[in-house]
Amino acid sequence: RLRGCGLRARLQKPSATHAELLKSPNWNAVPAELIPSLLEKNPSRLQQRLKELQDLTDWVHLDICDGIFVSSRTVALEELRSLSFPPNVELHLMVRDPQLLLEKADFVRSKRVVIHPGPAGDGLSVIRTIQNSGAKAGLALEYMTNTHRFEDALREANFIVVMPIHAGRQGQQFHPEALQLIRKVRSIIPRTPIEVDGAMNPETIPWVIEAGASIINVGSYLWGGDSLEDRWRECQAVIR
């Protein structure tokens, strides 16, 4: 389901082969991918939300925060053993030592794992550990990141996660500098998928798709209204 992006359709009509590789609707008129994001401290609350999502999607983006790399602390990895997950899990590790945690996380059977540079150096060795496990490796960059330091890791990762917020907290406002970062990443690695995580809602989703994103994580917006299903459909409507 991860596909890279190429030239805009208005500049060059994509061939059938290219159409299979491209993802963003702004680049080839194919809908972007929408994934619910969960950042929870309580295992029972996490399980309840997973249950509520099961009729809407078979994907979930799950944040794991250690309270050290970021100030927030979520459900611990070991607490996930008793929970039931959908077939497709994207694990987002906001932790000081992602390499150590990966050694203990095989039971989650993640299809994708996201790490941050910094605690992992430039991230290259951790990216390769993830890939060697059979999962896709994502590199997360906050909106103010200078990509120059991490270009090797950018090229090695299977996908890039741009965060228009500070890592570790849901419900933050969108920082428009993220749009410039998306375009910058797209110029460096035009065929690698770009995911956006943070401050996503029906207003901001079209902005990041226009900039070149093809995977959208929606967190606090989903749970802020009376109907989870209605909010999910509102987000789906703006990516089609």
Side-chain angles (χ1 to χ4, degrees), residues 118-135:
D122 64 359
L124 267 175
S125 62
V126 185
I127 286 171
R128 289 167 181 158
T129 296
I130 294 167
Q131 293 168 336
N132 289 338
S133 76

Side-chain angles (χ1 to χ4, degrees), residues 192-203:
T192 299
I194 298 176
E195 179 173 323
V196 180
D197 180 19
M200 291 291 93
N201 57 57
E203 179 182 13

Side-chain angles (χ1 to χ4, degrees), residues 201-214:
N201 57 57
E203 179 182 13
T204 58
I205 289 171
W207 301 346
V208 301
I209 290 176
E210 173 67 26
S214 58

Side-chain angles (χ1 to χ4, degrees), residues 69 115-124 127 139-142 144-157 159-161 181 184-185 188-189:
F69 177 60
I115 59 124
H116 288 251
D122 64 359
L124 267 175
I127 286 171
L139 185 71
L141 305 174
E142 294 187 22
M144 65 289 196
T145 303
N146 182 340
T147 59
H148 179 72
R149 292 177 55 203
F150 308 115
E151 286 199 15
D152 288 344
L154 283 172
R155 297 179 192 281
E156 186 74 17
F159 63 107
I160 306 302
V161 180
L181 179 57
K184 176 67 174 177
V185 171
I188 298 170
I189 41 174

Side-chain angles (χ1 to χ4, degrees), residues 9-189:
R10 67 181 178 86
L11 296 179
Q12 176 181 321
K13 185 178 180 180
S15 66
T17 301
H18 283 158
E20 293 175 357
L21 292 171
L22 307 180
K23 189 70 181 178
S24 170
N26 200 51
W27 293 63
N28 74 329
V30 174
E33 182 178 7
L34 187 66
I35 303 177
S37 179
L38 295 175
L39 189 156
E40 297 292 342
K41 297 180 180 179
N42 185 287
S44 60
R45 182 177 173 86
L46 174 58
Q47 186 65 84
Q48 178 59 36
R49 290 201 160 172
L50 288 168
K51 184 177 180 180
E52 292 172 21
L53 289 166
Q54 65 185 5
D55 292 331
L56 299 179
T57 177
D58 60 0
W59 272 96
V60 67
H61 174 100
L62 182 60
D63 292 326
I64 301 295
C65 307
D66 63 2
I68 301 172
F69 177 60
V70 294
S71 58
S72 300
R73 184 181 294 275
T74 62
V75 171
L77 190 66
E78 285 301 313
E79 294 177 294
L80 301 181
R81 287 189 180 275
S82 62
L83 305 185
S84 299
F85 293 97
N88 302 302
V89 176
E90 180 174 279
L91 202 60
H92 187 168
L93 302 181
M94 290 175 271
V95 299
R96 182 174 60 181
D97 191 344
Q99 189 79 265
L100 178 63
L101 203 63
L102 283 169
E103 296 172 5
K104 305 174 182 178
D106 59 323
F107 66 89
V108 180
R109 294 185 174 87
S110 304
K111 296 288 183 67
R112 305 173 186 162
V113 180
V114 180
I115 59 124
H116 288 251
D122 64 359
L124 267 175
S125 62
V126 185
I127 286 171
R128 289 167 181 158
T129 296
I130 294 167
Q131 293 168 336
N132 289 338
S133 76
K136 301 292 186 182
L139 185 71
L141 305 174
E142 294 187 22
Y143 64 91
M144 65 289 196
T145 303
N146 182 340
T147 59
H148 179 72
R149 292 177 55 203
F150 308 115
E151 286 199 15
D152 288 344
L154 283 172
R155 297 179 192 281
E156 186 74 17
N158 299 104
F159 63 107
I160 306 302
V161 180
V162 172
M163 303 189 70
I165 60 171
H166 295 286
R169 291 185 293 113
Q170 289 188 332
Q172 299 178 61
Q173 290 189 340
F174 182 91
H175 287 266
E177 296 92 334
L179 300 176
Q180 182 178 353
L181 179 57
I182 293 169
R183 295 186 185 103
K184 176 67 174 177
V185 171
R186 174 62 61 229
S187 71
I188 298 170
I189 41 174

